[in-house]
Amino acid sequence: MGPIRIAVVGMGKIAHDQHLPAIAGNPAFTLAATVSRSDSGVDGVPHFHTLQALVDSDVAIDAVALCTPPQARYDLAALALDKGLHVFLEKPPGATLAEVDALVAHAAKAGTTLFASWHSRYAAGVASARAWLADRQITGVKVIWREDVRVWHPGQAWIWEPGGLGVFDPGINALSIITHILPDPFFLAEATLEVPENRAAPIAADLHFRDSRGTAIHMDLDWRQTGPQSWDIVVETADGTLRLANGGAVLTLPGETLRHDDHEYPGLYARFADLVAQGQSDVDTRPLTLVADAFLRGKRLVTDAFFD
């Protein structure tokens, strides 16, 4: 079996910065095409304005990586699955939980791989954090995820629309880590969402969860932080404190600090290649479920208008 011929759909910043280098660095893949209405693609690689135009062409592909905003992703994924293609979904996997469930059933019927990717789970310190916490008594968890939206999402109107998630677009990265490393399931107890008066999605959120043992988990999300950015998780245990910094890249355990190079997207593509080879899918919706619960149960406060 030769390399997986993959097309990248949605050629925004994340595709250029992360997906294309990860594909180029993995011999299990070859970039067969790109799709975008606004980007010109990659020199020497067939480029199309729509996925329909690609599948109607004579360019052979085996898989697609969908890097579009989540609101548009279901129809693209359904089209790809109809054509027998394997599908890699950027996070979040969809705009609603029900559409992701529908895609899971669709992929199973089509006999193709569906991979809902959570790139922060592949940050260098996450696997070791999960192993260290597996048998320990956890007494408290704090998550501080504060960044400057003007730096990371300049001019991206879709992120403020319904389904775009607002501050939960980065916040779901933290949720993808803690749902993976904490040994007990947890759920939302209360939340406050700050929504700019001229936007549909929150710019900040304060969330309180508790796990099945009653342990408190607090999450502080804010998109208004300037200067140094904060992507930190602190887990207190009976055996000391675990800290994950820089979005999971730096792990500090009692008595030692482990620093590693970034390998999130290479790890995602290695996982996708394995799933395709094994004829399996991997779709974990727990992070998106917790975000949906925040919108369902959270108290909404109107705050100052936000302008890019």
Side-chain angles (χ1 to χ4, degrees):
M1 179 179 176
I4 299 165
R5 298 165 296 185
I6 192 166
V8 176
V9 182
M11 294 293 291
K13 179 177 173 57
I14 196 69
H16 282 282
D17 291 353
Q18 300 292 347
H19 287 263
L20 296 183
I23 291 167
N26 190 326
F29 293 93
T30 184
L31 181 64
T34 58
V35 176
S36 175
R37 293 185 183 276
S38 57
D39 188 273
S40 59
V42 177
D43 287 346
V45 176
H47 181 72
F48 299 84
H49 290 295
T50 67
L51 180 57
Q52 185 67 59
L54 168 56
V55 299
D56 288 343
S57 75
D58 59 0
V59 174
I61 59 171
D62 307 302
V64 295
L66 300 183
C67 306
T68 64
Q71 298 98 319
R73 208 169 289 152
Y74 173 82
D75 289 337
L76 295 169
L79 172 60
L81 294 172
D82 280 340
K83 300 298 181 179
L85 303 175
H86 307 293
V87 176
F88 178 122
L89 299 170
E90 244 298 350
K91 65 85 187 174
T96 71
L97 288 160
E99 70 185 44
V100 178
D101 286 344
L103 289 176
V104 171
H106 196 158
K109 185 176 180 180
T112 60
T113 291
L114 181 67
F115 178 37
S117 69
W118 299 107
H119 65 82
S120 291
R121 286 185 177 174
Y122 290 79
V126 171
S128 296
R130 175 183 167 94
W132 193 83
L133 290 171
D135 299 318
R136 284 182 164 81
Q137 178 186 349
I138 295 172
T139 58
V141 180
K142 293 182 180 178
V143 179
I144 301 172
W145 223 256
R146 289 172 162 253
E147 63 181 44
D148 187 346
V149 65
R150 291 184 173 94
V151 171
W152 299 101
H153 296 282
Q156 295 182 11
W158 64 266
I159 213 163
W160 296 103
E161 296 299 325
L165 299 189
V167 75
F168 285 101
D169 180 81
I172 205 170
N173 295 334
L175 290 170
S176 75
I177 294 175
I178 60 176
T179 52
H180 189 61
I181 67 173
L182 298 180
D184 296 308
F186 61 93
F187 54 90
L188 185 69
E190 59 179 307
T192 301
L193 313 182
E194 294 186 51
V195 182
E197 63 181 6
N198 62 333
R199 304 287 182 170
I203 197 169
D206 186 77
L207 304 107
H208 294 268
F209 304 93
R210 61 185 176 92
D211 71 12
S212 55
R213 299 175 186 265
T215 305
I217 300 167
H218 178 235
M219 173 176 277
D220 171 14
L221 305 178
D222 204 312
W223 246 353
R224 299 168 293 196
Q225 177 148 310
T226 58
Q229 310 285 275
S230 303
W231 301 294
D232 303 309
I233 296 170
V234 179
V235 183
E236 302 289 350
T237 80
D239 299 311
T241 302
L242 176 150
R243 298 177 186 272
L244 277 170
N246 292 1
V250 179
L251 171 64
T252 302
L253 300 173
E256 63 177 327
T257 297
L258 307 174
R259 298 175 184 270
H260 301 282
D261 293 332
D262 173 66
H263 62 264
E264 291 182 6
Y265 278 81
L268 287 175
Y269 275 92
R271 174 62 172 159
F272 188 41
D274 286 343
L275 289 169
V276 171
Q278 297 163 13
Q280 298 178 353
S281 291
D282 179 358
V283 183
D284 180 4
T285 57
R286 288 177 297 165
L288 185 58
T289 297
L290 292 168
V291 172
D293 286 351
F295 281 95
L296 179 68
R297 187 167 182 182
K299 179 172 63 175
R300 297 170 66 91
L301 297 179
V302 177
T303 190
D304 295 339
F306 173 83
F307 300 97
D308 282 39

